[in-house]
């Protein structure tokens, strides 16, 4: 009995994360996290981390909203910080999975050490975020690890708002060779 020869075509692919432009993302929230503003905001400026941790970059996303909009906790956790950083009112929440989310500029109604639930109001958005092209922007960040070893994450991944596409690295083969 003869077995049929199998042909395998190997194609190298690159993983490409596509950032949403300045429009609301249609993907629904998934898992333990949700958007920090309601209704779902437009992404005004995308995540653009630096090549090295000490270089300049945009370590979060800017979400467009109205001034004084309620800013809500993206997930359950403990308020790690509520105060001023570099002259801007900021709130940071540490979540049970080790991810810390940050929100600025936000006038806090919570205090450090307070336990918060997903969707709980953390404070109210101040207008005047540098580089914001709409009425007001919430700079929303996410990171894993301690202050000195933190890995910055794209917070849009927390809510399932990144589209992942595989693109070929080389040319597609015309036919399989066996």
């Amino acid at each position: 009995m003869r077995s049929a020869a199998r042909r395998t075509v190997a194609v190298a692919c690159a993983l490409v994360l596509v950032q949403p432009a300045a429009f609301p993302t249609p993907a629904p929230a998934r898992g333990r996290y949700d958007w920090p503003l309601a209704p779902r905001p437009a992404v005004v400026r995308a995540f653009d981390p630096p090549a090295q941790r000490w270089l300049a970059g945009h370590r979060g996303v800017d979400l467009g909203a109205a001034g004084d909009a309620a800013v809500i906790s993206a997930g359950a956790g403990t308020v790690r910080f509520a105060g001023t950083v570099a002259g801007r009112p900021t709130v940071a929440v540490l979540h049970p999975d080790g991810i810390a989310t940050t929100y600025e500029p936000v006038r806090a109604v919570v205090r450090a050490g307070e336990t918060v639930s997903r969707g709980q109001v953390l404070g109210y958005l101040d207008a005047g975020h540098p580089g914001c092209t709409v009425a007001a922007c919430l700079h929303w960040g996410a990171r894993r690890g301690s202050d000195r070893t933190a890995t910055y994450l794209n917070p849009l991944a927390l809510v399932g708002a990144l589209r992942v596409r595989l693109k070929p690295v080389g040319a597609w083969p015309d036919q399989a060779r066996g």
Side-chain angles (χ1 to χ4, degrees):
M1 195 167 176
R2 292 173 87 177
S3 61
R6 290 188 171 188
R7 295 183 187 190
T8 304
V9 177
V11 177
C13 294
L15 179 64
V16 178
L17 296 177
V18 180
Q19 293 284 349
F23 54 84
T25 304
R30 292 175 173 78
R32 292 177 271 211
Y33 294 94
D34 206 346
W35 292 90
L37 295 167
R40 184 173 298 166
V43 177
V44 176
R45 185 173 173 201
F47 180 68
D48 185 20
Q52 300 294 331
R53 352 178 336 103
W54 59 85
L55 296 173
H58 195 243
R59 294 170 174 86
V61 294
D62 289 347
L63 305 174
D68 290 326
V71 176
I72 56 180
S73 183
T78 303
V79 177
R80 185 173 183 193
F81 179 82
T84 303
V85 175
R88 296 185 201 122
T90 304
V91 176
V93 177
L94 180 60
H95 304 283
D97 59 5
I99 293 174
T101 52
T102 57
Y103 312 80
E104 69 100 348
V106 176
R107 295 181 319 277
V109 296
V110 293
R111 293 188 311 231
E114 187 175 332
T115 300
V116 294
S117 59
R118 175 178 158 174
Q120 181 176 336
V121 174
L122 299 173
Y124 296 91
L125 184 61
D126 268 349
H129 179 65
C132 183
T133 58
V134 296
C137 288
L138 172 67
H139 178 81
W140 183 35
R143 67 184 188 178
R144 184 184 307 276
S146 68
D147 292 340
R148 292 179 187 232
T149 62
T151 300
Y152 289 90
L153 309 171
N154 186 334
L156 298 180
L158 299 176
V159 295
L162 290 179
R163 288 178 255 149
V164 177
R165 295 187 182 154
L166 293 178
K167 294 192 176 190
V169 173
W172 289 91
D174 324 355
Q175 45 180 223
R177 294 185 183 151

